[in-house]
Amino acid sequence: MGKARGSRQGNNLLVRQIEAAGGVDYDMPVLLGYTGLSDVLLQKYVADSAFLWEGKVEELQMTQVGSVVGTHAGPGAIVATFFRARH
């Protein structure tokens, strides 16, 4: 979907992609993932994009991405999986 340098540009790109998809259907599951050994960048994304999640989900589910996808994405990647909002 795209690549960006730096966490700020990466976070902005992911937010724009979510919005371009029509937003999130919060009645359905939402899952965030990260590659690498640390979820520090994912936690930063969650904090920076709080407006997407706050008051809409009780808890964000997060997981480490598996090795097959993680190898292609590289360390430090963030993934958001969600169902598109119905309008």
Side-chain angles (χ1 to χ4, degrees), residues 8-71:
R8 182 183 307 144
Q9 289 181 1
N11 290 350
N12 290 340
L13 176 62
L14 191 51
V15 167
R16 285 194 310 270
Q17 292 294 331
I18 290 170
E19 290 171 345
V24 177
D25 181 349
Y26 294 101
D27 292 328
M28 301 296 286
V30 175
L31 179 66
L32 300 177
Y34 64 95
T35 61
L37 300 176
S38 171
D39 70 346
V40 169
L41 290 176
L42 178 59
Q43 294 299 335
K44 181 173 179 3
Y45 169 74
V46 169
D48 291 346
S49 61
F51 68 93
L52 287 173
W53 322 108
E54 284 184 340
K56 298 172 183 156
V57 294
E58 289 183 28
E59 178 183 4
L60 281 171
Q61 299 295 314
M62 300 177 201
T63 188
Q64 187 176 30
V65 174
S67 61
V68 173
V69 173
T71 297

